[in-house]
Protein backbone atom coordinates (compact mmCIF):
# COMPACT_ATOMS: atom_id res chain seq x y z
CA UNK A 1 0.00 0.00 0.00
CA UNK A 2 2.86 2.37 0.83
CA UNK A 3 4.37 2.31 -2.68
CA UNK A 4 0.93 2.74 -4.25
CA UNK A 5 0.33 5.84 -2.12
CA UNK A 6 3.76 7.25 -2.99
CA UNK A 7 3.09 6.69 -6.68
CA UNK A 8 -0.29 8.42 -6.39
CA UNK A 9 1.28 11.41 -4.63
CA UNK A 10 3.99 11.50 -7.30
CA UNK A 11 1.43 11.43 -10.10
CA UNK A 12 -0.44 14.31 -8.48
CA UNK A 13 2.69 16.43 -8.16
CA UNK A 14 3.69 15.74 -11.77
CA UNK A 15 0.19 16.63 -12.96
CA UNK A 16 0.21 19.87 -10.97
CA UNK A 17 3.69 20.80 -12.21
CA UNK A 18 2.43 20.64 -15.78
CA UNK A 19 0.20 23.61 -14.93
CA UNK A 20 2.10 25.74 -12.43
CA UNK A 21 5.56 26.28 -10.94
CA UNK A 22 6.62 24.17 -8.00
CA UNK A 23 6.79 27.25 -5.74
CA UNK A 24 3.05 27.70 -6.21
CA UNK A 25 2.18 24.08 -5.42
CA UNK A 26 1.27 23.28 -1.86
CA UNK A 27 0.94 20.02 -0.02
CA UNK A 28 -2.74 20.89 0.25
CA UNK A 29 -2.94 20.95 -3.58
CA UNK A 30 -1.26 17.55 -3.85
CA UNK A 31 -3.39 15.81 -1.22
CA UNK A 32 -6.57 17.33 -2.64
CA UNK A 33 -5.71 16.09 -6.13
CA UNK A 34 -4.70 12.70 -4.75
CA UNK A 35 -7.71 12.47 -2.41
CA UNK A 36 -5.68 11.69 0.71
CA UNK A 37 -5.10 13.72 3.85
CA UNK A 38 -2.04 15.76 4.86
CA UNK A 39 -1.01 13.16 7.43
CA UNK A 40 -0.72 10.60 4.66
CA UNK A 41 1.61 12.90 2.75
CA UNK A 42 3.80 13.52 5.81
CA UNK A 43 3.84 9.83 6.63
CA UNK A 44 5.73 9.27 3.37
CA UNK A 45 7.58 12.53 2.66
CA UNK A 46 9.06 15.46 4.58
CA UNK A 47 8.13 18.04 1.96
CA UNK A 48 7.42 18.50 -1.74
CA UNK A 49 11.12 18.36 -2.64
CA UNK A 50 11.46 15.04 -0.83
CA UNK A 51 8.61 13.72 -3.00
CA UNK A 52 10.28 15.15 -6.09
CA UNK A 53 13.54 13.42 -5.26
CA UNK A 54 11.65 10.15 -4.75
CA UNK A 55 10.15 10.59 -8.23
CA UNK A 56 13.59 11.01 -9.79
CA UNK A 57 15.10 8.09 -7.90
CA UNK A 58 12.31 5.63 -8.62
CA UNK A 59 11.41 6.67 -12.15
CA UNK A 60 14.39 8.17 -13.84
CA UNK A 61 17.56 6.96 -12.32
CA UNK A 62 16.86 3.29 -11.94
CA UNK A 63 17.96 3.39 -15.57
CA UNK A 64 21.54 3.56 -14.36
CA UNK A 65 21.46 0.24 -12.54
CA UNK A 66 23.89 -2.06 -14.26
CA UNK A 67 24.96 0.67 -16.68
CA UNK A 68 28.13 1.62 -14.87
CA UNK A 69 30.64 0.06 -17.21
CA UNK A 70 32.61 1.49 -20.09
CA UNK A 71 30.55 -0.49 -22.58
CA UNK A 72 27.17 0.46 -21.11
CA UNK A 73 27.51 4.06 -19.84
CA UNK A 74 26.07 5.38 -23.12
CA UNK A 75 22.91 3.34 -22.65
CA UNK A 76 22.51 4.51 -19.04
CA UNK A 77 23.11 8.16 -19.82
CA UNK A 78 20.80 7.97 -22.83
CA UNK A 79 18.06 6.62 -20.56
CA UNK A 80 18.58 9.59 -18.24
CA UNK A 81 18.25 12.00 -21.20
CA UNK A 82 15.11 10.22 -22.41
CA UNK A 83 13.57 10.31 -18.94
CA UNK A 84 14.20 14.05 -18.78
CA UNK A 85 12.75 14.46 -22.28
CA UNK A 86 9.63 12.40 -21.42
CA UNK A 87 9.10 14.48 -18.26
CA UNK A 88 9.79 17.76 -20.00
CA UNK A 89 7.15 19.82 -18.17
CA UNK A 90 8.26 18.66 -14.76
CA UNK A 91 11.97 19.15 -15.49
CA UNK A 92 11.67 22.55 -17.16
CA UNK A 93 9.39 23.73 -14.35
CA UNK A 94 11.95 22.59 -11.78
CA UNK A 95 14.85 23.98 -13.81
CA UNK A 96 13.31 27.46 -13.75
CA UNK A 97 12.40 27.33 -10.07
CA UNK A 98 13.95 27.49 -6.65
CA UNK A 99 14.20 23.69 -6.86
CA UNK A 100 16.86 23.88 -9.56
CA UNK A 101 19.62 23.39 -7.00
CA UNK A 102 18.07 20.07 -5.95
CA UNK A 103 17.75 18.98 -9.57
CA UNK A 104 21.40 19.82 -10.24
CA UNK A 105 22.64 18.16 -7.05
CA UNK A 106 20.65 15.06 -7.85
CA UNK A 107 21.99 14.90 -11.42
CA UNK A 108 25.55 15.38 -10.20
CA UNK A 109 25.19 12.60 -7.63
CA UNK A 110 23.65 10.10 -10.01
CA UNK A 111 25.98 10.81 -12.92
CA UNK A 112 28.96 10.59 -10.56
CA UNK A 113 27.88 7.08 -9.55
CA UNK A 114 27.70 6.08 -13.22
CA UNK A 115 31.09 7.54 -14.04
CA UNK A 116 32.78 6.26 -10.89
CA UNK A 117 31.81 2.74 -11.97
CA UNK A 118 33.31 3.37 -15.41
CA UNK A 119 36.51 4.79 -13.92
CA UNK A 120 36.85 1.85 -11.51
CA UNK A 121 36.45 -0.61 -14.36
CA UNK A 122 38.98 1.21 -16.53
CA UNK A 123 41.43 1.37 -13.58
CA UNK A 124 41.59 -2.41 -13.18
CA UNK A 125 45.22 -3.51 -13.20
CA UNK A 126 46.46 0.06 -12.68
CA UNK A 127 47.76 1.57 -9.48
CA UNK A 128 45.84 4.83 -9.20
CA UNK A 129 45.04 6.56 -5.92
CA UNK A 130 41.35 6.68 -4.99
CA UNK A 131 41.45 10.49 -4.84
CA UNK A 132 42.67 10.61 -8.46
CA UNK A 133 39.98 8.19 -9.63
CA UNK A 134 37.40 10.36 -7.84
CA UNK A 135 38.86 13.47 -9.51
CA UNK A 136 38.55 11.91 -12.97
CA UNK A 137 34.95 10.87 -12.28
CA UNK A 138 34.22 14.39 -11.01
CA UNK A 139 35.75 15.97 -14.10
CA UNK A 140 33.52 13.98 -16.44
CA UNK A 141 30.51 14.39 -14.14
CA UNK A 142 30.67 18.16 -14.49
CA UNK A 143 31.01 17.89 -18.25
CA UNK A 144 28.12 15.44 -18.64
CA UNK A 145 25.72 17.27 -16.34
CA UNK A 146 26.74 20.64 -17.78
CA UNK A 147 25.79 19.42 -21.25
CA UNK A 148 22.47 18.11 -19.94
CA UNK A 149 21.66 21.35 -18.10
CA UNK A 150 22.44 23.42 -21.19
CA UNK A 151 20.23 21.09 -23.24
CA UNK A 152 17.39 21.66 -20.75
CA UNK A 153 18.02 25.43 -20.69
CA UNK A 154 17.81 25.66 -24.47
CA UNK A 155 14.53 23.77 -24.69
CA UNK A 156 15.70 20.19 -25.30
CA UNK A 157 15.80 20.63 -29.08
CA UNK A 158 18.63 18.24 -29.94
CA UNK A 159 17.90 14.53 -29.90
CA UNK A 160 19.44 12.66 -26.94
CA UNK A 161 21.01 10.06 -29.26
CA UNK A 162 22.89 12.81 -31.12
CA UNK A 163 24.22 14.26 -27.86
CA UNK A 164 25.37 10.86 -26.61
CA UNK A 165 27.11 10.20 -29.95
CA UNK A 166 28.98 13.51 -29.65
CA UNK A 167 30.04 12.76 -26.07
CA UNK A 168 31.13 9.26 -27.07
CA UNK A 169 33.32 10.58 -29.92
CA UNK A 170 34.87 13.09 -27.58
CA UNK A 171 35.76 10.77 -24.70
CA UNK A 172 36.41 7.37 -26.29
CA UNK A 173 39.61 6.12 -24.69
CA UNK A 174 40.17 9.29 -22.68
CA UNK A 175 39.21 7.92 -19.27
CA UNK A 176 41.84 5.21 -19.60
CA UNK A 177 44.41 7.78 -20.80
CA UNK A 178 43.64 9.97 -17.79
CA UNK A 179 44.11 7.01 -15.45
CA UNK A 180 47.47 6.23 -17.05
CA UNK A 181 48.57 9.81 -16.33
CA UNK A 182 47.75 9.30 -12.64
CA UNK A 183 49.25 5.83 -12.34
CA UNK A 184 51.87 5.52 -9.58
Amino acid sequence: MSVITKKALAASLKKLMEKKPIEKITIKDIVKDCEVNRQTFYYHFQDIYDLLEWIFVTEGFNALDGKKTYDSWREGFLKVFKYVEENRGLVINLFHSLGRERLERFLYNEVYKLLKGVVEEQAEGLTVAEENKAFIADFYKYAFVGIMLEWIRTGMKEKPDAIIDKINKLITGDIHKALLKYQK
Side-chain angles (χ1 to χ4, degrees):
M1 183 68 169
S2 179
V3 174
I4 293 169
T5 304
K6 286 180 176 183
K7 285 182 178 182
L9 290 165
S12 290
L13 177 59
K14 287 171 71 174
K15 178 177 147 188
L16 291 166
M17 284 183 73
E18 291 289 335
K19 298 175 186 157
K20 59 184 176 177
I22 194 164
E23 291 87 14
K24 300 218 185 243
I25 298 171
T26 64
I27 291 169
K28 184 178 179 180
D29 295 333
I30 295 169
V31 297
K32 181 180 177 188
D33 182 74
C34 197
E35 298 179 355
V36 297
N37 61 42
R38 288 177 71 84
Q39 289 174 313
T40 301
F41 181 92
Y42 286 114
Y43 176 76
H44 297 288
F45 301 105
Q46 292 177 353
D47 58 20
I48 291 174
Y49 291 103
D50 190 31
L51 169 57
L52 193 59
E53 193 164 315
W54 184 85
I55 292 169
F56 285 139
V57 169
T58 57
E59 292 182 2
F61 294 92
N62 284 336
L64 295 180
D65 286 343
K67 306 293 186 248
K68 299 173 184 172
T69 67
Y70 186 76
D71 291 332
S72 64
W73 73 263
R74 291 178 297 278
E75 185 182 339
F77 203 51
L78 181 61
K79 285 185 178 185
V80 172
F81 264 96
K82 290 196 181 224
Y83 174 80
V84 168
E85 188 176 49
E86 289 165 7
N87 291 276
R88 176 187 203 93
L90 174 111
V91 171
I92 287 179
N93 181 333
L94 191 58
F95 183 81
H96 294 292
S97 76
L98 298 174
R100 179 178 177 169
E101 181 184 328
R102 284 191 180 227
L103 173 65
E104 288 181 9
R105 187 176 25 170
F106 190 76
L107 286 170
Y108 283 126
N109 287 337
E110 294 302 314
V111 170
Y112 179 82
K113 290 177 202 172
L114 170 107
L115 291 167
K116 187 69 162 91
V118 172
V119 168
E120 289 294 340
E121 178 195 54
Q122 291 289 297
E124 283 184 29
L126 302 176
T127 308
V128 179
E130 284 303 315
E131 66 193 37
N132 292 330
K133 289 190 273 186
F135 180 78
I136 293 167
D138 267 339
F139 178 83
Y140 285 102
K141 166 190 79 176
Y142 286 114
F144 281 34
V145 174
I147 288 167
M148 178 173 272
L149 292 172
E150 183 62 13
W151 176 69
I152 293 167
R153 189 190 70 73
T154 58
M156 301 182 201
K157 293 177 181 123
E158 192 169 3
K159 295 289 180 205
D161 301 81
I163 296 168
I164 299 300
D165 286 346
K166 287 178 185 178
I167 292 170
N168 188 45
K169 284 178 186 164
L170 201 65
I171 70 162
T172 296
D174 285 352
I175 291 173
H176 188 71
K177 286 179 193 173
L179 287 162
L180 290 172
K181 291 176 184 179
Y182 283 104
Q183 185 170 316
K184 295 178 185 174

